Amino acid sequence: MKSPLLRPAGYSVGRKSEEALIDVMLYFMFSMLMPALIGNGYLLSIVLGVGRSNVTSAGIYSLAALGSMVWALNKAVSTLRIRRDYRLGWEGELAVGEELAQLSGQGFRVFHDVPDEGFNIDHVVVGPSGIYAIETKARTKRGTEKDAHQVGYDGKTLKFPDYVTDQPLVQAERQAKSLGRWLSKASGIALAPVPVVIIPGWFVDRTGKGRVQVLAVNGARHYLSASREGSSLDRSQIERIAYQLELKCRDVALGEQLI
């Protein structure tokens, strides 16, 4: 029997996208079937003599049929929006995963969708320059000008053209700390993973320096492969860390497919 596969980039969010698509189809089916079932139930009640054929009864059944259809269609539309967000996140993780894969020739090991306590870390990279916990933050771009595709980073917040947030930074830092606690204990090596946020498709304008490194996709390889004092790992340490990560991530059954 062959062993399970490693998780690919975007594994969890891709599955959520797949499940949301199934829900959309079920809601659409419900919107078509329920009015027919309610209508047939009304006709059957008249045939069996347990219902009355009058305007009031017909109105009640019609409202019930219409209400069920409107409810199901609203659920389908809202689930489509959710699925769109999942799909965007999945595509963003794929783009980042493709870029990170090119580090393998430089002695790095890359793992995707690493499960932790109640959350998943999008990517974990371990190599000669250290270990990195990477959060991918995909966001739809609006407009065609460069400024419309630029996010500012002042060391504390991310400034998109239409809103400001620190949530991805807080999330990345929390995930890096959790990863460091687990991996240090599991590998026997004192580790402090660097928290990184990568924003695919956007330019990053850095106006300050913070605890979290914020990168565009095309700057990821250069940053991750650059040597840093006090954070270097030798080959045996890399393999010990990678072994623990592989135990966590090798859980995809053969035959599982994503959309």
Side-chain angles (χ1 to χ4, degrees), residues 17-95:
S17 175
E18 188 177 45
E19 291 165 1
L21 181 60
I22 293 171
D23 288 342
V24 168
M25 292 188 291
L26 290 174
Y27 284 128
F28 274 122
M29 289 175 60
F30 186 88
S31 72
M32 293 183 288
L33 289 175
M34 281 307 295
L37 290 173
I38 292 172
N40 287 336
Y42 173 58
L43 294 175
L44 184 61
S45 70
I46 295 173
V47 171
L48 296 177
V50 296
R52 295 182 179 181
S53 177
N54 55 44
V55 174
T56 301
S57 296
I60 292 173
Y61 276 92
S62 296
L63 285 174
L66 180 62
S68 66
M69 182 175 67
V70 170
W71 175 84
L73 288 175
N74 280 335
K75 290 292 289 184
V77 171
S78 63
T79 306
L80 269 175
R81 294 194 185 103
I82 293 171
R83 197 252 175 177
R84 178 196 61 193
D85 293 339
Y86 283 146
R87 184 82 183 190
L88 177 63
W90 179 58
E91 291 174 352
E93 290 189 37
L94 287 180

Side-chain angles (χ1 to χ4, degrees), residues 158-175:
L158 297 176
K159 298 181 179 181
F160 290 91
D162 54 349
Y163 84 114
V164 177
T165 181
D166 68 346
Q167 192 55 41
L169 308 175
V170 173
Q171 183 179 355
E173 195 165 10
R174 182 175 65 247
Q175 291 178 168

Side-chain angles (χ1 to χ4, degrees), residues 70-126:
V70 170
W71 175 84
L73 288 175
N74 280 335
K75 290 292 289 184
V77 171
S78 63
T79 306
L80 269 175
R81 294 194 185 103
I82 293 171
R83 197 252 175 177
R84 178 196 61 193
D85 293 339
Y86 283 146
R87 184 82 183 190
L88 177 63
W90 179 58
E91 291 174 352
E93 290 189 37
L94 287 180
V96 174
E98 184 177 282
E99 183 72 11
L100 298 179
Q102 299 181 61
L103 289 167
S104 59
Q106 301 177 44
F108 285 81
R109 298 288 299 276
V110 181
F111 298 88
H112 308 291
D113 199 54
V114 178
D116 208 321
E117 298 179 1
F119 58 86
N120 292 352
I121 304 173
D122 293 339
H123 316 276
V124 173
V125 176
V126 54

Side-chain angles (χ1 to χ4, degrees), residues 171-190:
Q171 183 179 355
E173 195 165 10
R174 182 175 65 247
Q175 291 178 168
K177 288 179 180 178
S178 179
L179 177 68
R181 286 193 298 269
W182 165 67
L183 266 181
S184 296
K185 183 177 180 181
S187 67
I189 304 169

Side-chain angles (χ1 to χ4, degrees), residues 153 155-156 173 177 194-196 209-213 223:
Y153 178 47
K156 297 180 179 179
E173 195 165 10
K177 288 179 180 178
V194 178
V196 178
K209 187 176 181 180
R211 293 188 298 267
V212 181
Q213 183 68 29
Y223 172 79

